């Protein structure tokens, strides 16, 4: 490919650097506006050495100032600066800047955690013309890139591979994707400091939040509040336990986790050693989901219902995208009869519904290998609430978009509450082999089986102000002691 091809993506310095005095007026001799101007965000520590190599290649091919290392600069700072400059140029009549803003796209290279961080920032900033986002698979699971057709294998980092990816970005279509707010409430410990966070390791996308409005249904004195969000899934139970074991092992021995194949093999081994394949023999019944929590869900706005969880379910997944554990689709595609009898719909990524699926053990999970295999479909919901009271277990494991944590459960007469609700949407870029389906896309194969269900809009006005912010722009901060490579 030639310099002419790369000119489709390059952005001049004065667009990227604030307080520029240059104002571009269109004349016949003016430079052509690039068809697909991009800003590139790379987690240089993802994928072993691949992140750093990819950073060098993009900077060699494009303007260095449009390629950002997330280890050096957070995405919210970069986007605030560039969009403030674009708005300033727009007010001064710069037509070139206006066209750049209209055509701008983002590329993010890293694991699912990195991609989710950037998506959260774009959601929070409420930009005047939000750009669509393409994801480069540079982690272990890569569920987010896979769901939109970008693959799940780590990419090549040479010039030819990068140019091929840029070509795909230019040809990609735009899709909406739902995002989900998660609010967790737990009782303040009687001893010890809990400000700003309690003494437990929460994922980077879930953080302390102290201002609670009267509109918050979960507002209670003496409780800590945490909030965050996810794009792909929230899970609880044995699958999160295996993931937690993997992340703990990687944290203790990072030198052993430099290769995607090695990572995936280690993950599979931990599935055996943690008892996921032999759950009935090793995993106590007291850890089964139905014994740990009461679950309520809202299929229609304002109508909470109890959700029945079969006693054998050891793992529950709240799924937004048709990609889990390396690309499987636990929900599948319900046939006409199930859609009618159980009011189920296909798993569209922009319908404001989250799919709730259960698994008994890893063998049950293997049904996903079959062409029409799926987990136990429990519900589709606009909102879902988990209430944990004093019981047989003092902790469980949770996971959100690849980031697991060990969650303490009540030991006294108190309650831990986790509530998930629809939050909004952002624009994604999808290739022609995209796995995700839109309810608004007539070319979607699911539309042949879908019944009209147009009255399921969410009453966003009923949500408190804190629910309207994803949290990645202002309060998502990576602590100094945390290695950014963990966001993979």
């Amino acid at each position: 490919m030639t310099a002419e091809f790369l000119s489709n993506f390059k952005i001049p310095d004065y667009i990227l650097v604030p307080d520029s005095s240059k104002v571009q007026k269109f004349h016949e001799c003016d430079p052509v506006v690039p068809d697909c101007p991009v800003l590139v965000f790379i987690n240089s520590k993802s994928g072993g050495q691949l992140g750093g190599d990819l950073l060098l290649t993009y900077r060699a091919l494009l303007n260095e100032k449009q390629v950002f290392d997330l280890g050096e600069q957070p995405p919210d700072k970069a986007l605030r600066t560039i969009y403030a400059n674009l708005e300033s140029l727009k007010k001064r009549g710069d037509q070139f800047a206006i066209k750049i803003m209209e055509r701008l796209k983002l590329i993010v290279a890293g694991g699912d955690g990195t991609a989710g961080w950037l998506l959260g920032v774009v959601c929070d900033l409420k930009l005047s013309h939000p750009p669509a986002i393409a994801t480069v698979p540079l982690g272990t699971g890569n569920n987010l890139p896979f769901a939109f057709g970008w693959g799940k294998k780590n990419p090549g980092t040479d010039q030819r591979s990068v140019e091929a990816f840029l070509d795909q970005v230019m040809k990609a279509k735009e899709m909406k994707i739902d995002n989900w707010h998660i609010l967790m409430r737990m009782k303040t410990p009687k001893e010890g400091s809990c400000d700003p966070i309690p003494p437990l390791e929460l994922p980077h996308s879930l953080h302390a939040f102290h201002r609670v409005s009267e509109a918050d249904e979960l507002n209670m004195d003496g409780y800590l509040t945490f909030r965050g969000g996810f794009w792909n899934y929230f899970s609880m139970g044995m699958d999160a336990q295996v993931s937690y074991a993997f992340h703990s092992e990687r944290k203790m021995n990072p030198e052993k986790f430099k290769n995607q194949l090695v990572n995936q093999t280690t993950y599979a081994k931990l599935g055996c050693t943690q008892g996921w394949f032999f759950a009935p023999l090793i995993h106590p019944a007291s850890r089964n989901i139905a014994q740990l929590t009461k679950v309520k869900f809202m299929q229609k706005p304002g109508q909470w219902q109890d959700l029945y969880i079969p006693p054998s379910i050891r793992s529950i997944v709240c799924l937004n995208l048709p990609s889990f554990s390396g690309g499987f689709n636990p929900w599948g595609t319900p046939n006409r009869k199930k859609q009618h009898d159980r009011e189920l719909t296909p798993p569209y990524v922009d319908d404001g519904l989250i799919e709730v699926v259960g698994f008994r053990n890893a063998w049950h999970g293997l049904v996903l290998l079959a062409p029409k295999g799926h987990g136990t479909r429990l519900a589709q919901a606009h909102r879902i609430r988990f209430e944990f009271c004093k019981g047989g277990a003092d902790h469980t494991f949770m996971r959100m978009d690849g980031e697991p944590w060990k969650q303490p459960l009540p030991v006294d007469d108190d309650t831990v509450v986790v509530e998930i609700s629809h939050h909004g949407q952002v624009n994604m870029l999808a290739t022609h082999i995209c796995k995700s389906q839109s309810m608004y896309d007539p070319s979607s194969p699911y539309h042949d089986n879908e019944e009209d269900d147009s009255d399921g809009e969410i009453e966003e006005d009923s949500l408190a102000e804190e629910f309207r912010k994803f949290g990645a722009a202002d309060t998502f901060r990576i602590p100094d002691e945390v290695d950014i490579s963990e966001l993979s």
Side-chain angles (χ1 to χ4, degrees):
M1 297 186 183
T2 64
E4 183 180 355
F5 168 76
L6 292 174
S7 68
N8 290 305
F9 309 95
K10 288 185 177 180
I11 301 175
D13 279 354
Y14 91 98
I15 296 290
L16 304 166
V17 180
D19 302 321
S20 172
S21 60
K22 180 177 180 180
V23 177
Q24 185 73 45
K25 299 292 185 180
F26 274 121
H27 300 291
E28 291 183 3
C29 59
D30 284 334
V32 177
V33 180
D35 289 333
C36 186
V38 295
L39 296 176
V40 184
F41 298 88
I42 298 175
N43 184 342
S44 59
K45 295 186 178 181
S46 281
Q49 183 63 33
L50 294 179
D53 292 344
L54 201 61
L55 184 72
L56 293 175
T57 304
Y58 269 101
R59 284 181 171 171
L61 296 178
L62 303 176
N63 184 340
E64 287 189 19
K65 294 184 177 67
Q66 70 188 100
V67 183
F68 302 89
D69 182 350
L70 291 173
E72 298 177 353
Q73 184 176 16
D76 46 323
K77 181 179 179 180
L79 286 173
R80 283 183 196 275
T81 300
I82 291 171
Y83 267 83
N85 193 39
L86 284 170
E87 290 290 351
S88 175
L89 292 168
K90 179 180 177 180
K91 288 180 181 179
R92 290 153 59 189
D94 189 322
Q95 299 299 313
F96 189 92
I98 293 172
K99 291 294 183 182
I100 290 287
M101 185 185 294
E102 291 174 352
R103 300 178 185 180
L104 186 63
K105 295 177 172 60
L106 305 185
I107 296 173
V108 56
D112 285 332
T114 303
W117 181 15
L118 182 68
L119 267 63
V121 165
V122 172
C123 179
D124 275 355
L125 294 183
K126 303 194 183 304
L127 304 169
S128 56
H129 197 282
I133 303 165
T135 53
V136 180
L138 209 61
T140 301
N142 297 321
N143 289 293
L144 195 59
F146 183 71
F148 290 92
W150 300 105
K152 55 184 176 180
K153 293 183 179 179
N154 291 163
T157 60
D158 59 289
Q159 178 176 337
R160 179 176 295 181
S161 299
V162 169
E163 288 178 342
F165 188 88
L166 287 171
D167 187 53
Q168 282 187 297
V169 170
M170 188 161 55
K171 296 174 181 176
K173 65 179 181 179
E174 291 192 17
M175 289 181 65
K176 295 286 188 182
I177 172 180
D178 293 324
N179 67 318
W180 295 85
H181 179 276
I182 181 168
L183 185 140
M184 183 165 71
R185 189 66 47 80
M186 66 179 70
K187 198 168 186 179
T188 307
K190 294 180 179 179
E191 297 180 2
S193 173
C194 57
D195 189 18
I197 61 172
L200 69 147
E201 289 188 33
L202 292 173
H204 302 104
S205 51
L206 191 63
H207 45 266
F209 180 69
H210 298 289
R211 183 180 61 82
V212 180
S213 73
E214 295 180 358
D216 179 7
E217 298 174 6
L218 303 180
N219 186 14
M220 292 174 281
D221 291 334
Y223 276 72
L224 284 171
T225 303
F226 301 86
R227 69 169 190 185
F230 64 92
W231 307 92
N232 193 357
Y233 65 87
F234 167 85
S235 68
M236 176 176 61
M238 283 211 69
D239 75 289
Q241 180 178 334
V242 174
S243 179
Y244 183 81
F246 171 83
H247 280 257
S248 299
E249 182 75 17
R250 185 170 66 172
K251 192 172 184 179
M252 289 187 294
N253 303 288
E255 71 281 355
K256 297 181 180 179
F257 295 82
K258 298 293 185 181
N259 178 279
Q260 187 181 37
L261 180 59
V262 171
N263 292 356
Q264 292 170 341
T265 302
T266 303
Y267 205 101
K269 290 179 180 178
L270 286 170
C272 295
T273 59
Q274 292 290 317
W276 189 211
F277 280 91
F278 307 99
L281 300 177
I282 299 175
H283 192 74
S286 61
R287 295 285 182 89
N288 291 7
I289 301 300
Q291 302 300 317
L292 291 177
T293 180
K294 294 180 180 179
V295 186
K296 295 181 180 292
F297 74 106
M298 189 181 290
Q299 193 171 36
K300 296 181 180 180
Q303 299 179 13
W304 285 106
Q305 304 176 57
D306 292 326
L307 179 62
Y308 170 72
I309 308 291
S312 60
I313 295 297
R314 294 176 172 85
S315 181
I316 191 168
V317 181
C318 299
L319 190 70
N320 188 39
L321 303 180
S323 182
F324 179 75
S325 291
F328 295 119
N329 180 6
W331 186 256
T333 306
N335 59 35
R336 286 178 180 271
K337 187 176 187 304
K338 290 181 179 178
Q339 288 185 50
H340 181 269
D341 294 347
R342 296 187 56 192
E343 297 184 3
L344 301 179
T345 68
Y348 297 119
V349 299
D350 53 4
D351 59 357
L353 290 171
I354 196 165
E355 283 70 44
V356 186
V357 188
F359 290 97
R360 297 186 299 275
N361 49 45
W363 298 116
H364 186 194
L366 292 179
V367 303
L368 300 179
L369 295 172
K372 296 183 179 180
H374 59 84
T376 300
R377 298 183 182 117
L378 300 175
Q380 287 177 302
H382 291 299
R383 298 173 77 174
I384 186 167
R385 180 184 294 177
F386 300 88
E387 297 180 357
F388 303 86
C389 299
K390 182 180 178 181
D394 60 0
H395 70 273
T396 188
F397 294 89
M398 298 181 181
R399 182 165 59 143
M400 192 161 66
D401 280 359
E403 293 189 86
W405 73 97
K406 185 177 180 179
Q407 175 61 46
L409 296 181
V411 293
D412 298 320
D413 295 329
D414 57 321
T415 304
V416 172
V417 176
V418 176
E419 182 171 322
I420 296 168
S421 57
H422 186 263
H423 176 64
Q425 294 181 328
V426 296
N427 297 320
M428 296 294 293
L429 287 172
T431 73
H432 68 283
I433 57 171
C434 172
K435 302 290 182 183
S436 299
Q437 301 294 334
S438 168
M439 65 182 298
Y440 304 105
D441 185 357
S443 65
S444 168
Y446 293 156
H447 278 75
D448 293 338
N449 297 326
E450 182 189 12
E451 294 183 11
D452 186 25
D453 184 21
S454 58
D455 59 349
E457 295 184 2
I458 299 170
E459 298 177 1
E460 295 290 346
D461 290 342
S462 66
L463 299 180
E465 179 63 27
E466 56 266 23
F467 283 78
R468 300 176 187 273
K469 196 170 186 63
F470 193 83
D474 291 321
T475 48
F476 185 112
R477 291 290 182 270
I478 301 177
D480 293 337
E481 67 274 12
V482 174
D483 189 340
I484 193 173
S485 63
E486 292 183 17
L487 288 178
S488 59

